[in-house]
Amino acid sequence: MIVLKDINKIMEGKHIIRDCTLHIRPGECVGLLGKNGAGKTTLLNLMSGILLPDSGFLSINRTNELLGSKHARRKLVYLSGVKSQLWQDLRIRDSFSHCAGMYGADHSRLDELIQLCQVQTLLDSYPQALSLGERMRCEIVYGLLADAPVLFLDEVMIGLDVTIKQHIFDYLQQMKHKRKTTIIYTSHHLMEAQQLCDRVLLMDEGRVIFDGSM
């Protein structure tokens, strides 16, 4: 469970997150919606432990000190459309192999994800040689290899064509129902949130102004 109570965050003198209180149940998929600058990514960074709140209470899976708990951090995956997890000096296949080794993922899971994201022809490429859509497909493989119980997905569908996007949505639905994976998904596209999410949070100027179904 993810629990936030009266969370505030000020950055460079600006109040980015204001008195945020919410609960996300295990296995729930929650869409985080709002215009640019509404605070979506900052809220994800707080929930994932990348940032610390200035005030309030925050707990994920009964842990409120993520930075001090390697075990707790291994249960989270954060995928971003603007930040890469791939090793820039390694071929894609070597990045995948490294990640699989860290998380104990077997070859069958890696092969399944390679097929899902259709990156078979990219395995000998380096990240800097890829287009945005190609890189995002590889990022998704890398992130999902961990099979973490909590997924933070920040605009991860950018650059993807409709067919591959649908395959990934279907796979995330399976993770939600079969593995009880908790997913927090940010997007500017309401149709994506409607297809994937059980519930949506609408943010404006750092506040959650709506919490409910589509």
Side-chain angles (χ1 to χ4, degrees):
M1 177 180 285
I2 300 174
V3 179
L4 286 77
K5 175 67 174 174
D6 297 330
I7 291 292
N8 286 273
K9 185 65 182 178
I10 298 173
M11 301 173 68
E12 298 180 354
K14 184 177 180 180
H15 210 146
I16 307 297
I17 300 297
R18 300 171 180 268
D19 303 318
C20 182
T21 296
L22 61 92
H23 297 74
I24 298 174
R25 299 185 301 273
E28 190 174 18
C29 182
V30 176
L32 200 54
L33 307 178
K35 62 185 180 181
N36 289 335
K40 303 185 301 297
T41 297
T42 301
L43 188 59
L44 282 192
N45 288 341
L46 288 165
M47 287 192 284
S48 62
I50 295 174
L51 294 176
L52 295 175
D54 293 319
S55 63
F57 172 82
L58 190 155
S59 173
I60 297 183
N61 297 330
R62 300 180 181 178
T63 300
N64 55 11
E65 292 291 343
L66 285 174
L67 294 180
S69 175
K70 181 178 179 180
H71 176 72
R73 293 197 307 272
R74 286 176 66 90
K75 295 183 178 182
L76 312 175
V77 162
Y78 190 131
L79 278 173
S80 169
V82 297
K83 296 179 182 179
S84 178
Q85 298 186 94
L86 300 168
W87 293 68
Q88 298 302 303
D89 296 327
L90 295 180
R91 296 177 302 168
I92 296 299
R93 69 167 69 249
D94 297 324
S95 278
F96 289 168
S97 178
H98 184 273
C99 183
M102 284 195 299
Y103 288 96
D106 57 33
H107 289 293
S108 62
R109 177 161 178 77
L110 176 56
D111 290 342
E112 177 186 26
L113 292 171
I114 287 173
Q115 294 288 334
L116 170 74
C117 294
Q118 299 180 23
V119 298
Q120 301 93 322
T121 62
L122 306 177
L123 297 177
D124 288 316
S125 301
Y126 290 84
Q128 58 268 29
L130 303 179
S131 69
L132 174 60
E134 290 171 338
R135 181 180 68 80
M136 286 313 304
R137 283 186 277 147
C138 293
E139 297 279 359
I140 290 169
V141 172
Y142 190 97
L144 295 185
L145 264 174
D147 199 17
V150 180
L151 281 179
F152 298 102
L153 304 178
D154 190 13
E155 300 287 352
V156 297
M157 299 297 175
I158 58 174
L160 302 188
D161 66 45
V162 174
T163 302
I164 292 178
K165 189 183 294 187
Q166 187 59 55
H167 291 328
I168 294 170
F169 275 143
D170 292 342
Y171 191 83
L172 291 174
Q173 290 279 15
Q174 291 178 29
M175 292 182 68
K176 182 176 70 173
H177 294 300
K178 294 182 178 180
R179 295 188 173 96
K180 305 302 180 184
T181 305
T182 304
I183 302 171
I184 298 89
Y185 181 84
T186 75
S187 177
H188 291 289
H189 301 286
L190 294 179
M191 293 293 290
E192 291 181 7
Q194 186 173 25
Q195 181 176 355
L196 182 64
C197 301
D198 308 305
R199 169 182 161 211
V200 293
L201 306 174
L202 180 61
M203 295 191 68
D204 185 51
E205 297 184 353
R207 298 182 186 276
V208 176
I209 61 172
F210 175 81
D211 180 351
S213 69
M214 288 291 292

